Amino acid sequence: MTSAKIPTPVNEPVLSYAPGTKERAELKAALKDLSSRQVDIPIVIGGKEIRTGKTLDAVMPHCHRHILAKVHQAGPREIDSAVEAAREAQREWSTWSLADRAAVFLKAADLLASRWRAMVNAATMLGQSKTAFQAEIDAACELIDFWRFNVHYADRIHAEQPLSAAGTWNALDYRGLEGFVYAITPFNFTSIGGNLPTAPAIMGCTVVWKPAATAVYSNYLLFRLLQEAGLPPGVVNFVPGPAQLVSERLLGDRHLGGIHFTGSTEVFQTLWKQVSDNLTRYADYPRLVGETGGKDFILAHPSADVDALTTGLVRGAFEYQGQKCSAASRAYVPESLWPKVREQMLGRLGEARVGDPADFRNFMAAVIDKKSFDKIKQYIDRAKSDAKTKILYGGDCDDSDGYFVQPTVIQVEDPGYRTMCEEIFGPVLSLYVYPDGQWQETLAVIDRTSPYALTGGVFAQERAALVDASAALRYAAGNFYLNDKPTGAVVGQQPFGGARASGTNDKAGSLLNLIRWTSARVIKENFVPPRDPWYPFMAEA
């Protein structure tokens, strides 16, 4: 299939899971099945399963006594073996045509869209405490889109070719990176777990994948799905293990070709420094692609539609417990709208149920683990005792059975208060009420408040206000939304990423990301090479 045409992608439809639907029954059955058994998750290197006997438990965040899996942890030997397997696999994988590589991921997308869908969604709900809808838009739709759109983008890159003068033929050979790519994936999106190792693989790279310990349950299912789709052994090596050990070992290897990362700003900066320290040891300059933290905002103009605004606040701040790097965590509301916004927002939060995601009536579930729970609780507790802040809603935290934090709204007197500036990564929305006449000043405050620049949303009915905000906040968000919440980017529609402390802005879900994983070679063929070394100017007049 070396010259096959890559299909034009379309976004995967989001299933409703409404009562009486087929998908709801299938998902309920998958939840029951996976909840009833414990899985043994190995390391997989070069297609071979390895069990070290050193394991960590994968648990349900909303019922942390329930162990879903025992996950074997890699040590130095396994990490080194993964590099060897990736380098060995590259010899063949890099010779495959794009069409043949694409076929693997197009098949994976179709498998996920059909008989793997319920199982991967259920694993995401159980292991990462997502509701049915949040799992569907992430683990199913977004990842299906990544695989279908990425091969399309790769095809567009390959189609970019140079000019050829008469008598010559010039070509660009899009090679995968010569070294291995280290993919470090987060807990909060199963789709990112699937995309970070496979985007480089589509371009001909081979990968060592370290999944987040708190998402390894769903990520292992994705790895098995890729195996079924025909991904050759060693192209992607599945290596759960201690983060510091894995990173130190891989970043110290001469053949590191790149890092594909989603996670905290602090960790990415540490990785960057380690790469810099090792720079003279590498065979190539590693490609560093990272999407990191955010302190994302919603700004309301006095002309904003209150219904749309409050819906954006509730969904943007509290879906998936605020554990999205794009989640709204600071809001700015004008005094003239505040009474209506407060009444409506708090009323809607009063209807939001929190609990086990297997109960489809719940809007929110648990935060991911004890460490996250404790961090969020500390921020809330400090706000409770601060005379300059007011807890308008929520504030209750209970980790007796699961890591539950109620949706919390904090009103602040100072727009520079810590919860307006620091990333919390939980269901906490800090809100500042500004005088209507201070619109320009508020734009300036938003731009300088946070070191991040990931997402933001502005609500206004007056077009002039949207134009004004778009100009003033041009560098404050890599994904900027007008009259919409700052979450929910769709592959092919809103390529995702931000700058400043939010990452390298290489836009996952676009051609811009795929192009980072190729090292082009120019090939010139001269059909009629010159046979005389002398130039005309050398002749006597």
Side-chain angles (χ1 to χ4, degrees):
M1 217 162 54
T2 56
S3 60
K5 179 177 173 59
I6 302 293
T8 301
V10 295
N11 291 111
E12 177 69 11
V14 179
L15 302 183
S16 73
Y17 297 90
T21 57
K22 178 184 177 183
E23 65 264 17
R24 185 183 181 101
E26 290 175 342
L27 183 55
K28 289 276 192 179
L31 287 166
K32 183 177 180 180
D33 174 41
L34 294 182
S35 297
S36 67
R37 52 192 172 93
Q38 191 178 104
V39 181
D40 183 64
I41 297 180
I43 303 156
V44 186
I45 296 172
K48 297 179 180 178
E49 295 185 355
I50 299 170
R51 291 173 170 82
T52 60
K54 297 178 181 178
T55 64
L56 287 181
D57 292 341
V59 304
M60 294 183 186
H62 46 278
C63 183
H64 45 61
R65 66 180 178 278
H66 189 130
I67 299 173
L68 293 164
K70 297 283 186 178
V71 185
H72 291 266
Q73 302 293 289
R77 179 184 302 176
E78 291 75 35
I79 299 167
D80 293 345
S81 295
V83 172
E84 293 175 11
R87 295 191 64 208
E88 178 65 29
Q90 189 182 37
R91 293 186 178 93
E92 180 182 347
W93 183 246
S94 62
T95 67
W96 283 29
S97 69
L98 174 60
D100 288 320
R101 293 199 302 267
V104 173
F105 300 102
L106 292 174
K107 181 175 181 178
D110 282 355
L111 288 171
L112 182 52
S114 54
R115 56 187 174 82
W116 280 81
R117 191 182 201 123
M119 185 160 54
V120 172
N121 277 345
T124 300
M125 292 173 69
L126 296 174
Q128 290 140 271
S129 208
K130 289 203 169 188
T131 64
F133 178 74
Q134 292 298 312
E136 168 70 5
I137 61 174
D138 162 29
C141 296
E142 185 167 46
L143 185 50
I144 293 166
D145 286 351
F146 273 135
W147 285 337
R148 289 177 178 161
F149 277 81
N150 279 350
V151 298
H152 165 74
Y153 294 132
D155 192 39
R156 285 173 51 185
I157 291 170
H158 279 240
E160 181 66 27
Q161 292 294 326
L163 299 173
S164 296
T168 65
W169 189 9
N170 299 316
L172 274 173
D173 172 21
Y174 290 97
R175 308 167 296 177
L177 304 183
E178 190 172 9
F180 69 91
V181 173
Y182 178 25
I184 310 169
T185 60
F187 79 84
N188 58 336
F189 280 91
T190 302
S191 58
I192 300 177
N195 181 53
L196 265 56
T198 58
I202 288 168
M203 298 304 293
C205 302
T206 53
V207 181
V208 178
W209 174 17
K210 195 205 81 62
T214 42
V216 68
Y217 184 62
S218 64
N219 290 184
Y220 178 60
L221 290 184
L222 296 182
F223 184 82
R224 286 174 49 196
L225 187 160
L226 289 167
Q227 288 179 311
E228 183 176 332
L231 187 69
V235 173
V236 175
N237 300 277
F238 187 76
V239 187
Q244 185 174 350
L245 172 64
V246 177
S247 291
E248 286 183 358
R249 202 85 181 183
L250 294 181
L251 268 59
D253 194 285
R254 171 175 170 76
H255 301 286
L256 177 71
I259 297 174
H260 205 187
F261 174 89
T262 295
S264 76
T265 298
E266 293 77 15
V267 170
F268 189 56
Q269 289 175 347
T270 298
L271 294 171
W272 198 296
K273 290 175 184 177
Q274 289 176 308
V275 168
S276 178
D277 289 342
N278 294 331
L279 197 58
T280 57
R281 305 178 194 173
Y282 296 133
D284 244 323
Y285 291 106
R287 307 283 177 89
L288 304 180
V289 175
E291 190 266 295
T292 57
K295 190 65 182 175
D296 311 299
F297 61 85
I298 286 180
L299 166 64
H301 184 262
S303 68
D305 180 307
V306 172
D307 290 342
L309 172 61
T310 56
T311 296
L313 288 168
V314 172
R315 286 185 171 181
F318 300 113
E319 284 184 322
Y320 192 42
Q321 297 80 263
Q323 296 175 126
K324 301 181 182 185
C325 43
S326 58
S329 60
R330 53 184 173 124
Y332 304 80
V333 178
E335 285 179 336
S336 59
L337 293 188
W338 176 232
K340 289 183 180 179
V341 171
R342 173 177 173 151
E343 179 183 7
Q344 192 171 114
M345 178 178 62
L346 299 187
R348 288 176 169 177
L349 287 175
E351 299 171 3
R353 292 179 48 141
V354 180
D356 188 335
D359 181 345
F360 284 20
R361 296 171 298 175
N362 289 324
F363 176 70
M364 284 173 48
V367 299
I368 193 65
D369 60 13
K370 176 68 172 173
K371 180 180 178 182
S372 179
F373 175 88
D374 288 344
K375 175 185 175 182
I376 298 165
K377 187 176 184 299
Q378 285 178 1
Y379 274 102
I380 293 173
D381 287 345
R382 288 172 184 167
K384 286 179 178 177
S385 61
D386 196 317
K388 295 183 179 180
T389 64
K390 182 188 296 183
I391 304 293
L392 299 181
Y393 190 89
D396 296 329
C397 305
D398 184 358
D399 63 347
S400 55
D401 294 315
Y403 302 113
F404 290 106
V405 179
Q406 296 296 312
T408 300
V409 179
I410 304 172
Q411 184 178 355
V412 304
E413 294 180 8
D414 176 9
Y417 184 70
R418 62 181 303 167
T419 63
M420 295 288 288
C421 306
E422 299 172 15
E423 186 179 39
I424 301 174
F425 221 68
V428 179
L429 174 65
S430 295
L431 188 146
Y432 174 69
V433 178
Y434 70 91
D436 287 37
Q438 292 185 8
W439 168 251
Q440 293 295 335
E441 293 87 344
T442 303
L443 289 172
V445 166
I446 292 171
D447 188 48
R448 68 171 181 261
T449 290
S450 162
Y452 303 103
L454 191 52
T455 73
V458 178
F459 285 79
Q461 295 293 84
E462 292 181 9
R463 190 71 200 179
L466 296 177
V467 172
D468 197 18
S470 184
L473 301 174
R474 190 177 184 200
Y475 288 95
N479 282 55
F480 189 65
Y481 297 83
L482 305 179
N483 291 309
D484 201 0
K485 62 184 174 63
T487 63
V490 177
V491 174
Q493 297 186 36
Q494 299 95 27
F496 190 78
R500 295 181 180 170
S502 290
T504 57
N505 202 21
D506 287 294
K507 296 299 185 193
S510 79
L511 181 150
L512 297 172
N513 183 276
L514 271 290
I515 206 166
R516 295 300 306 277
W517 309 116
T518 186
S519 179
R521 175 175 66 149
V522 173
I523 302 171
K524 176 186 177 182
E525 182 174 358
N526 196 338
F527 293 136
V528 187
R531 304 180 71 184
D532 184 341
W534 313 125
Y535 297 97
F537 80 91
M538 298 172 67
E540 292 186 14

